[in-house]
């Protein structure tokens, strides 16, 4: 019997694997949360598929999303990233990734971990929307608005409410798998 999945992921095996193994599964470790924060910020204005297909290139280019290294990237490293055809070569987004690494560590210092900070917005437990169809899945919510506003106040870049909501879905803060999706079993 064929698995029923959320319709958005049926493009190819890369998308199905991401949907089946990662999307909507709660993530509490700072390293993975940071990776998704950077990837989602690069997605702004683009498709998630574009980012996902370049994910390994991003990992190599950005030192496996080691925020300690990224926070101190030099002009030489920025130039290297700008010349890397394997990633999205948007200077504002590259500079934002560096800023976000710095701000990420500031939040860690304040809250003990970034995970504590971000999950604190929803009481540490995933929100399960149980949509019947993809059309019921919003692009933003009051919670994503609040997180976005707070991140921006703290100096983060490319963290609008839509980016934050996608981040919440990716890291399992929100479960937007449709009710008939096999991942709910």
């Amino acid at each position: 019997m064929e698995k029923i999945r959320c319709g958005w992921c049926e493009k190819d095996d890369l998308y199905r694997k991401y949907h089946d193994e990662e999307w909507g599964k709660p993530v509490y470790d700072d390293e993975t949360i940071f990776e998704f924060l950077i990837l989602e910020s690069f997605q702004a204005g683009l498709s998630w598929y574009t980012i996902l297909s370049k994910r390994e290139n991003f990992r190599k280019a950005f030192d496996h999303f080691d925020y300690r290294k990224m926070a101190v990237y030099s002009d030489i490293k920025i130039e290297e990233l700008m010349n890397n055809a394997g990633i999205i070569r948007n200077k504002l987004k590259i500079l934002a990734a560096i800023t976000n690494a710095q701000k990420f560590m500031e939040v860690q210092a304040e809250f003990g971990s970034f995970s504590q900070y971000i999950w604190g917005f929803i009481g540490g437990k995933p929100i399960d929307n149980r949509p019947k169809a993809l059309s019921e899945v919003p692009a933003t919510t009051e919670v994503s608005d609040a997180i976005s506003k707070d991140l921006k106040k703290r100096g983060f870049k490319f963290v609008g409410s839509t980016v934050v909501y996608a981040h919440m879905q990716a890291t399992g803060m929100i479960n937007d798998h449709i009710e008939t999706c096999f991942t709910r079993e």
Side-chain angles (χ1 to χ4, degrees), residues 34-45 70 90-104 106-107 114 117 147-164 167:
F34 181 72
E35 176 176 346
F36 277 115
L37 188 67
I38 296 304
L39 291 173
E40 296 291 353
S41 70
F42 270 92
Q43 184 203 343
M70 289 175 62
N90 177 312
K91 190 159 189 176
L92 290 177
K93 289 180 180 182
I94 290 169
L95 293 173
I98 297 165
T99 297
N100 290 350
Q102 295 162 352
K103 300 305 173 186
F104 190 87
E106 288 174 15
V107 169
F114 192 86
Y117 160 77
I147 295 171
S148 171
K149 186 177 177 183
D150 196 68
L151 287 170
K152 287 176 182 176
K153 189 178 82 188
R154 293 172 180 279
F156 284 80
K157 308 286 185 209
F158 285 95
V159 288
S161 190
T162 304
V163 167
V164 169
H167 184 264

Side-chain angles (χ1 to χ4, degrees), residues 8 14 38 46 93 98 104-105 110 112 114 145 153 169:
W8 62 263
L14 175 68
I38 296 304
L46 303 168
K93 289 180 180 182
I98 297 165
F104 190 87
M105 290 189 298
E110 183 178 342
F114 192 86
D145 292 348
K153 189 178 82 188
Q169 289 173 312

Side-chain angles (χ1 to χ4, degrees), residues 2 68 93 100 106 115 141 143 145 175:
E2 196 166 320
R68 291 165 209 87
K93 289 180 180 182
N100 290 350
E106 288 174 15
S115 180
T141 61
V143 176
D145 292 348
N175 184 349

Side-chain angles (χ1 to χ4, degrees), residues 127-142:
I127 296 167
D128 193 348
N129 288 330
R130 301 196 76 81
K132 289 178 179 29
L134 288 176
S135 59
E136 294 178 14
V137 177
T140 64
T141 61
E142 286 181 16

